[in-house]
Amino acid sequence: LNRTEYLPLLQRSLKFGLKTGVLSFFVFLFEILMFIRLTRKSISLSAAFIPLWLLVAGGIFDGFVCKTQHFLRVICWLLSFTAMLLLVLKIDYERDEIRWRFVVFPVVLVLSVASGSLMYIVYGHQIGFYKLTEAQLTAGNLYALASLICIILVVMIGEVIPLSRPVEVETRLF
């Protein structure tokens, strides 16, 4: 490996590592804040969403200002922002006129875009447009299947949520 090949590889590796580290840190902070919200009820949902607000705002900013993303990815960022905003309005501000179906709908759209993109890549491999390795093809199939299952689960949960009485689910294993 000579110097001209090494530096771009190093730059890409550092950039990828930095992005992954920031993303992982924000998701970890979100998990901690949601734990505090669910156990102590001391913070609002909008405060627990602060790490996600920053990620989504960064994605929207990167898409509109820097223009480094595909239009479909920017749409997914906007749908994620809409779902989070509707959830905060429904839970924190007790806006009962917002139905759960409207809160769940952007999530289903994002999952549909992800599933459609994965199916497009797998189909592109089958017709010879893409050359995927066996591991990539298996991963694409499994991710597409997982996102379709998530769509089914989100829709099912969206139909169960608006019950008039609270549902208690037993979570104890033993």
Side-chain angles (χ1 to χ4, degrees):
L1 209 63
N2 65 16
R3 189 173 182 174
T4 57
E5 295 173 353
Y6 178 72
L7 284 177
L9 179 64
L10 179 64
Q11 289 172 342
R12 281 195 312 255
S13 298
L14 289 174
K15 182 177 159 184
F16 180 74
L18 183 65
K19 284 183 178 179
T20 304
V22 169
L23 177 68
S24 299
F25 180 70
F26 279 179
V27 170
F28 179 66
L29 281 178
F30 169 69
E31 290 174 353
I32 290 172
L33 292 173
M34 280 306 291
F35 175 78
I36 292 170
R37 161 125 175 98
L38 293 173
T39 57
R40 298 195 184 118
K41 307 270 190 213
S42 60
I43 61 173
S44 66
L45 185 62
S46 57
F49 273 170
I50 286 175
L52 294 185
W53 292 124
L54 293 173
L55 283 176
V56 170
I60 293 171
F61 177 79
D62 186 40
F64 282 133
V65 176
C66 302
K67 296 181 179 157
T68 60
Q69 298 180 16
H70 189 270
F71 180 71
L72 199 55
R73 186 181 290 181
V74 177
I75 294 294
C76 288
W77 285 119
L78 290 171
L79 287 170
S80 300
F81 180 80
T82 304
M84 290 169 37
L85 185 65
L86 288 172
L87 191 61
V88 166
L89 289 173
K90 177 88 174 149
I91 297 200
D92 278 352
Y93 297 101
E94 298 174 0
R95 303 290 300 258
D96 292 329
E97 63 270 11
I98 299 174
R99 298 175 59 199
W100 281 109
R101 289 181 184 171
F102 296 134
V103 175
V104 171
F105 184 70
V107 176
V108 171
L109 284 178
V110 169
L111 288 171
S112 299
V113 167
S115 181
S117 299
L118 287 165
M119 286 189 281
Y120 171 77
I121 291 170
V122 170
Y123 178 71
H125 171 75
Q126 290 175 348
I127 63 172
F129 190 67
Y130 296 113
K131 302 284 187 216
L132 300 177
T133 64
E134 190 66 31
Q136 290 172 330
L137 182 61
T138 303
N141 285 328
L142 291 175
Y143 281 133
L145 180 65
S147 60
L148 287 172
I149 291 172
C150 283
I151 291 171
I152 292 169
L153 286 175
V154 166
V155 168
M156 287 175 57
I157 290 172
E159 293 297 321
V160 172
I161 285 176
L163 294 175
S164 58
R165 59 183 172 80
V167 176
E168 292 189 25
V169 178
E170 184 69 35
T171 57
R172 190 178 63 203
L173 293 177
F174 301 105

